Amino acid sequence: MRIRTVDAFTARAYAGNPAAVVLLDGEALHAFPADASLQALAAEMNLAETAFAHPLADDPEADWALRWFTPTTEVDLCGHATLATAHLLAEDGALPEGGRVRFRTRSGVLSASLEPDSTLTLDFPTATLTEVSVPDGVVEAFGAPVPAAWDTGGLGMLVLEIADEATLRGLAPDLAAVSALPSPAVLLTAAAAPPAREDAPEPPYDFVSRLFAPAQGIPEDPVTGSAHTALAPLWSRRLGRAELTGLQVSRRTGYVRTTLRGARTLLGGSAVTVLDATLHAPL
């Protein structure tokens, strides 16, 4: 069985967020192996997510079934592993006519479209943001003031605002304390700092973020596509624009283009295949 790793939300290898992807074929063409086998392989890969997909023969709404696993659990929504899966389908020449593929997932039908510049655009549901009180233990966990917090409903993330980009970049959180917070994933964000000079090496961006999910086996996620379904409405309201670019300032970093369209958010980015291997142990 073939397994590949793809760096998502980046145009260069060894940046962005790596995802392992298995496009199921052979005897498993139209079904997933046992959940325990999928989880075991995800734990073996030890990446933020491992994606598994198989084609659907009789589903009028979707072309492929898609599931995502962290090293410890299955998740309901994952942006970078969806981008990685669509990227491999494009590389294999397996996208449907028109360059748009639809995935049947635990979060409904999601689509990915190949753009003329070879980037991909995901169509995801926009997260619901509800402002809440900053939970006890947050300031101690992150070691910085938190002016505001939001619940994201079904997305399952707690969003925290940090004063500025420099503070966010410099945080060294207590991961044990983060695990004790009342949310499995904590998303921190701040407005982008003004560029230090006009020839700054990074492309322009509008906001920054970091995400920590140690309770899900992810100490810090390099680039979290699904998080931008919450960041897009937050910063679009603040900045008065529907189209923005977010930079996730993890060690690897990655860029996510966002377009807010009411109940849907478009997430755009590039991907690079870095490993193509054969899985010898059966699932």
Side-chain angles (χ1 to χ4, degrees):
M1 187 173 292
R2 193 179 187 188
I3 185 167
R4 287 172 278 183
T5 60
V6 174
D7 288 343
F9 293 115
T10 181
R12 60 185 177 87
Y14 312 121
N17 201 352
V21 181
V22 177
L23 301 178
L24 295 161
D25 55 14
E27 294 181 359
L29 183 62
H30 298 298
F32 288 110
D35 289 3
S37 297
L38 302 181
Q39 187 63 74
L41 180 55
E44 180 81 7
M45 297 306 296
N46 199 32
L47 298 174
E49 263 84 18
T50 297
F52 301 90
H54 70 73
L56 295 170
D58 301 312
D59 189 331
E61 297 180 340
D63 309 296
W64 288 73
L66 176 62
R67 296 171 70 181
W68 314 278
F69 289 78
T70 77
T72 62
T73 189
E74 184 172 7
V75 296
D76 292 335
L77 187 65
C78 180
H80 83 279
T82 304
L83 189 80
T85 303
H87 166 76
L88 291 179
L89 291 174
E91 277 198 338
D92 293 347
L95 290 178
E97 186 175 352
R100 177 174 176 264
V101 60
R102 303 164 301 167
F103 297 108
R104 173 73 64 188
T105 77
R106 288 171 62 160
S107 291
V109 175
L110 310 173
S111 69
S113 300
L114 184 64
E115 304 296 342
D117 63 358
S118 297
T119 64
L120 289 153
T121 299
L122 308 179
D123 185 337
F124 273 30
T126 301
T128 301
L129 289 174
T130 304
E131 190 162 4
V132 297
S133 300
V134 177
D136 292 341
V138 162
V139 173
E140 293 77 10
F142 292 101
V146 176
W150 293 266
D151 178 74
T152 59
L155 186 61
M157 296 178 186
L158 175 67
V159 180
L160 304 176
E161 183 175 4
I162 300 299
D164 53 55
E165 178 178 339
T167 301
L168 180 58
R169 285 178 178 269
L171 293 179
D174 179 340
L175 294 180
V178 175
S179 295
L181 295 175
S183 176
V186 183
L187 172 63
L188 286 71
T189 189
R197 59 184 193 277
E198 291 185 359
D199 63 342
E202 292 179 310
Y205 53 92
D206 301 290
F207 59 88
V208 292
S209 65
R210 294 176 71 181
L211 184 133
F212 301 90
Q216 294 182 322
I218 306 169
E220 180 172 4
D221 198 33
V223 191
T224 316
S226 60
H228 287 73
T229 66
L231 295 171
L234 174 61
W235 289 108
S236 288
R237 287 199 296 264
R238 294 274 186 92
L239 301 175
R241 288 185 285 124
E243 297 184 4
L244 302 170
T245 297
L247 172 64
Q248 196 150 334
V249 290
S250 65
R251 180 179 57 83
R252 293 173 63 100
T253 74
Y255 291 86
V256 183
R257 298 191 311 272
T258 67
T259 303
L260 185 63
R261 291 186 175 174
R264 308 294 295 184
T265 295
L266 305 184
L267 309 173
S270 301
V272 181
T273 304
V274 296
L275 178 69
D276 190 341
T278 300
L279 181 66
H280 292 282
L283 288 177

